[in-house]
Amino acid sequence: GAGVSQSPSNKVTEKGKDVELRCDPISGHTALYWYRQRLGQGLEFLIYFQGNSAPDKSGLPSDRFSAERTGGSVSTLTIQRTQQEDSAVYLCASGEHTYEQYFGPGTRLTVT
Amino acid sequence: QKEVEQNSGPLSVPEGAIASLNCTYSDRGSQSFFWYRQYSGKSPELIMSIYSNGDKEDGRFTAQLNKASQYVSLLIRDSQPSDSATYLCAVQLLGVFGNEKLTFGTGTRLTIIP
């Protein structure tokens, strides 16, 4: 079946601009996660959704970062007033009751 | 102390040999353990999950968990060049909703030498 999809695959933006990253989870998966991976580094948790609510936002690095999920499906991660340190691959994962998380292909964000 | 620790490598193993990857974690409340494989420029791919002490085998892969020692490992038998990748250990706490965030190690880079 279809896996997790993310768009865009690549995004280049100027410092100070806002960006929106989209994630379509695997159909039927109630849990959705956003992670960030800087070049050569490990994965960093950002936020977790169960349905449309976000029980854990502890990983969001600043108030410039926000995320929402509607209809228990698609999620959007928004970064306002982007900074160069926001450059990274943003990964979305989804899962169900088995606890296993399956990752999408990621969005590579470059802030110039 | 990092929450999840892995040797960053690189770990070089001859083709056909056994590759052994290790991971330790700090939170004794950790419930679920996963190994992901990540090829360069790609996203992580789940290859093994393990939830109870002991061994779990799937094809050429065996995951081993020892909660008393807070240690999880991955063995790859009959290593192939296609196994060359970075292997990420991930640990999950069981929360109110069941699925909780994964805490990742920084990964071990494995190279299989033909």
Side-chain angles (χ1 to χ4, degrees):
Chain A
V4 178
S5 61
Q6 293 185 245
S7 61
S9 55
N10 279 285
K11 176 72 176 178
V12 180
T13 190
E14 291 180 354
K15 177 181 172 181
K17 300 283 190 183
D18 297 352
V19 295
E20 283 190 353
L21 312 180
R22 177 187 167 107
C23 172
D24 271 284
I26 293 171
S27 178
H29 279 189
T30 57
L32 186 148
Y33 311 80
W34 284 97
Y35 295 86
R36 177 169 73 176
Q37 188 172 32
R38 291 195 169 110
L39 186 63
Q41 298 189 22
L43 275 77
E44 176 187 5
F45 169 76
L46 297 178
I47 187 170
Y48 150 57
F49 287 92
Q50 180 67 30
N52 290 335
S53 64
D56 189 351
K57 305 179 184 179
S58 63
L60 294 177
S62 75
D63 59 8
R64 296 187 296 105
F65 287 73
S66 63
E68 64 175 13
R69 188 180 186 193
T70 55
S73 181
V74 172
S75 176
T76 302
L77 177 69
T78 301
I79 309 173
Q80 295 178 311
R81 304 182 303 282
T82 52
Q83 304 293 313
Q84 287 186 330
E85 63 263 27
D86 300 334
S87 295
V89 176
Y90 288 82
L91 291 159
C92 175
S94 71
E96 49 177 351
H97 61 277
T98 57
Y99 313 133
E100 295 173 349
Q101 298 180 20
Y102 299 91
F103 283 85
T107 293
R108 181 175 300 276
L109 175 66
T110 303
V111 182
T112 61
Chain B
Q1 182 189 6
K2 290 183 182 176
E3 293 180 74
V4 180
E5 295 211 45
Q6 296 181 253
N7 188 324
S8 62
L11 175 65
S12 296
V13 173
E15 183 175 357
I18 296 175
S20 178
L21 304 163
N22 303 316
C23 173
T24 58
Y25 59 95
S26 61
D27 194 325
R28 286 196 172 273
S30 301
Q31 299 280 334
S32 307
F33 306 86
F34 306 91
W35 284 98
Y36 285 83
R37 178 175 62 198
Q38 187 173 28
Y39 293 115
S40 181
K42 301 295 185 182
S43 62
E45 173 192 6
L46 179 65
I47 54 171
M48 288 290 286
S49 58
I50 187 165
Y51 304 101
S52 54
N53 281 328
D55 294 1
K56 178 182 177 183
E57 186 175 321
D58 183 0
R60 296 187 296 112
F61 299 98
T62 298
Q64 299 174 316
L65 175 61
N66 183 325
K67 289 188 177 180
S69 300
Q70 296 175 245
Y71 174 93
V72 59
S73 65
L74 179 70
L75 301 177
I76 306 174
R77 288 182 301 281
D78 188 24
S79 297
Q80 302 297 309
S82 59
D83 295 327
S84 297
T86 296
Y87 288 80
L88 303 171
C89 172
V91 171
Q92 185 181 54
L93 291 170
L94 184 62
V96 174
F97 295 98
N99 308 56
E100 293 290 339
K101 68 179 182 183
L102 295 176
T103 300
F104 284 85
T106 53
T108 298
R109 187 154 55 94
L110 174 66
T111 300
I112 306 302
I113 304 167

